Protein backbone atom coordinates (compact mmCIF):
# COMPACT_ATOMS: atom_id res chain seq x y z
CA UNK A 1 0.00 0.00 0.00
CA UNK A 2 1.37 3.41 -0.97
CA UNK A 3 1.78 6.08 1.65
CA UNK A 4 -0.55 9.02 1.36
CA UNK A 5 0.89 12.13 -0.24
CA UNK A 6 0.72 14.97 2.23
CA UNK A 7 -0.03 18.59 1.57
CA UNK A 8 3.33 19.34 3.23
CA UNK A 9 5.15 17.29 0.56
CA UNK A 10 3.31 19.11 -2.22
CA UNK A 11 4.00 22.50 -0.62
CA UNK A 12 7.69 21.60 -0.21
CA UNK A 13 8.15 20.93 -3.93
CA UNK A 14 6.17 24.03 -4.84
CA UNK A 15 8.20 26.21 -2.46
CA UNK A 16 11.45 24.95 -3.98
CA UNK A 17 10.24 26.00 -7.44
CA UNK A 18 8.73 29.28 -6.28
CA UNK A 19 12.02 30.35 -4.64
CA UNK A 20 13.63 30.57 -8.09
CA UNK A 21 10.86 32.53 -9.76
CA UNK A 22 11.49 36.22 -10.58
CA UNK A 23 8.49 37.27 -8.49
CA UNK A 24 7.90 34.46 -5.98
CA UNK A 25 5.33 36.49 -4.06
CA UNK A 26 3.02 36.27 -7.08
CA UNK A 27 3.28 32.47 -7.45
CA UNK A 28 0.33 30.54 -6.09
CA UNK A 29 -0.12 26.85 -5.44
CA UNK A 30 -3.13 26.40 -7.67
CA UNK A 31 -5.23 23.28 -7.81
CA UNK A 32 -3.59 22.35 -11.13
CA UNK A 33 -0.07 22.77 -9.74
CA UNK A 34 -0.92 20.77 -6.62
CA UNK A 35 -2.36 17.99 -8.79
CA UNK A 36 0.73 18.01 -11.02
CA UNK A 37 3.04 17.63 -8.02
CA UNK A 38 0.79 15.02 -6.38
CA UNK A 39 0.73 13.00 -9.61
CA UNK A 40 4.53 13.03 -9.86
CA UNK A 41 4.92 12.03 -6.24
CA UNK A 42 2.42 9.23 -6.88
CA UNK A 43 4.74 7.91 -9.59
CA UNK A 44 7.22 7.14 -6.82
CA UNK A 45 9.45 10.20 -6.89
CA UNK A 46 10.30 11.65 -3.50
CA UNK A 47 10.02 15.29 -2.54
CA UNK A 48 13.83 15.31 -2.44
CA UNK A 49 13.98 14.02 -6.03
CA UNK A 50 11.66 16.73 -7.29
CA UNK A 51 13.28 19.50 -5.24
CA UNK A 52 16.69 18.41 -6.56
CA UNK A 53 15.34 18.52 -10.11
CA UNK A 54 14.13 22.08 -9.58
CA UNK A 55 17.50 23.10 -8.15
CA UNK A 56 19.28 21.40 -11.08
CA UNK A 57 17.24 23.27 -13.67
CA UNK A 58 17.90 26.66 -12.09
CA UNK A 59 21.51 26.25 -10.93
CA UNK A 60 23.38 23.75 -13.09
CA UNK A 61 25.76 24.89 -15.79
CA UNK A 62 24.41 22.26 -18.15
CA UNK A 63 23.39 22.78 -21.77
CA UNK A 64 19.90 21.40 -21.19
CA UNK A 65 19.39 23.51 -18.07
CA UNK A 66 20.60 26.62 -19.89
CA UNK A 67 18.16 25.83 -22.70
CA UNK A 68 15.33 25.51 -20.16
CA UNK A 69 16.31 28.87 -18.63
CA UNK A 70 15.90 30.63 -21.99
CA UNK A 71 19.29 30.28 -23.61
CA UNK A 72 17.80 28.89 -26.79
CA UNK A 73 17.15 30.15 -30.32
CA UNK A 74 13.73 31.51 -29.34
CA UNK A 75 14.82 33.00 -26.03
CA UNK A 76 11.92 31.14 -24.43
CA UNK A 77 11.98 30.24 -20.75
CA UNK A 78 10.78 26.71 -20.03
CA UNK A 79 11.09 26.77 -16.26
CA UNK A 80 7.40 26.54 -15.54
CA UNK A 81 6.50 23.77 -13.15
CA UNK A 82 4.56 21.95 -15.88
CA UNK A 83 7.62 21.98 -18.17
CA UNK A 84 10.08 20.85 -15.51
CA UNK A 85 7.80 18.06 -14.27
CA UNK A 86 6.70 16.88 -17.71
CA UNK A 87 5.84 13.22 -17.21
CA UNK A 88 7.27 11.87 -20.46
CA UNK A 89 10.76 13.14 -19.66
CA UNK A 90 10.74 13.06 -15.88
CA UNK A 91 12.73 9.86 -15.32
CA UNK A 92 15.68 11.08 -17.37
CA UNK A 93 15.55 14.54 -15.84
CA UNK A 94 15.48 13.26 -12.26
CA UNK A 95 18.35 10.87 -13.01
CA UNK A 96 20.45 13.72 -14.42
CA UNK A 97 19.58 15.96 -11.47
CA UNK A 98 20.55 13.33 -8.91
CA UNK A 99 23.83 12.68 -10.72
CA UNK A 100 24.51 16.44 -10.76
CA UNK A 101 23.74 16.66 -7.04
CA UNK A 102 26.11 13.80 -6.23
CA UNK A 103 28.91 15.28 -8.34
CA UNK A 104 28.28 18.70 -6.84
CA UNK A 105 28.48 17.22 -3.33
CA UNK A 106 31.73 15.37 -4.14
CA UNK A 107 33.27 18.60 -5.44
CA UNK A 108 32.19 20.44 -2.31
CA UNK A 109 33.73 17.71 -0.11
CA UNK A 110 37.05 17.96 -2.00
CA UNK A 111 37.00 21.74 -1.68
CA UNK A 112 36.24 21.63 2.06
CA UNK A 113 38.94 19.01 2.60
CA UNK A 114 41.54 21.17 0.86
CA UNK A 115 40.41 24.22 2.83
CA UNK A 116 40.58 22.28 6.10
CA UNK A 117 44.17 21.35 5.31
CA UNK A 118 44.96 24.97 4.53
CA UNK A 119 45.71 24.19 0.90
CA UNK A 120 44.83 26.69 -1.82
CA UNK A 121 44.41 24.71 -5.01
CA UNK A 122 44.64 27.83 -7.11
CA UNK A 123 43.28 28.21 -10.61
CA UNK A 124 44.79 24.99 -12.03
CA UNK A 125 43.60 22.89 -9.09
CA UNK A 126 40.15 24.37 -9.42
CA UNK A 127 40.07 23.56 -13.14
CA UNK A 128 41.22 19.99 -12.42
CA UNK A 129 38.38 19.52 -9.91
CA UNK A 130 35.84 20.79 -12.42
CA UNK A 131 37.16 18.38 -15.06
CA UNK A 132 36.85 15.47 -12.64
CA UNK A 133 33.27 16.49 -11.93
CA UNK A 134 32.23 16.31 -15.59
CA UNK A 135 30.22 13.22 -16.55
CA UNK A 136 32.07 10.77 -18.71
CA UNK A 137 30.91 10.54 -22.31
Amino acid sequence: MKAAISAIDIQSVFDAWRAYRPRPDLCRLTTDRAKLIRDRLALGYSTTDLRTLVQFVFEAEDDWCSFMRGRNDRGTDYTGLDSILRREKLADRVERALLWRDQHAAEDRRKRSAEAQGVDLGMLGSMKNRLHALPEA
Side-chain angles (χ1 to χ4, degrees):
M1 180 178 200
K2 289 186 179 180
I5 297 167
S6 74
I8 293 171
D9 291 338
I10 293 167
Q11 187 70 48
S12 174
V13 173
F14 176 76
D15 288 344
W17 173 79
R18 179 174 57 185
Y20 289 100
R21 303 309 297 166
R23 302 205 39 207
D25 53 317
L26 297 180
C27 295
R28 300 288 178 253
L29 180 57
T30 62
T31 304
D32 289 342
R33 287 180 177 152
K35 181 181 179 339
L36 174 69
I37 296 167
R38 183 180 303 107
D39 289 349
R40 298 313 176 256
L41 292 170
L43 291 173
Y45 296 101
S46 69
T47 55
T48 301
D49 292 341
L50 299 182
R51 289 175 60 90
T52 300
L53 174 57
V54 168
Q55 182 183 14
F56 173 62
V57 168
F58 286 98
E59 292 184 12
E61 292 304 320
D62 175 272
D63 289 342
W64 175 77
C65 293
S66 293
F67 178 90
M68 294 291 284
R69 293 191 303 257
R71 293 188 197 126
N72 54 61
D73 59 346
R74 293 183 179 183
T76 303
D77 182 281
Y78 296 105
T79 58
L81 202 54
D82 55 334
S83 294
I84 294 172
L85 299 180
R86 187 171 169 197
R87 183 178 181 155
E88 297 80 16
K89 300 185 179 197
L90 192 60
D92 178 57
R93 291 175 179 181
V94 169
E95 184 178 332
R96 290 173 64 183
L98 295 176
L99 179 63
W100 170 80
R101 178 198 63 194
D102 294 345
Q103 289 173 343
H104 201 67
E107 184 178 316
D108 285 347
R109 281 192 301 275
R110 280 194 301 272
K111 191 182 297 180
R112 281 194 306 273
S113 175
E115 289 170 357
Q117 295 173 13
V119 176
D120 180 7
L121 299 176
M123 184 179 77
L124 291 176
S126 177
M127 289 172 60
K128 177 184 163 209
N129 286 341
R130 279 186 264 148
L131 283 173
H132 285 290
L134 292 174
E136 294 187 28

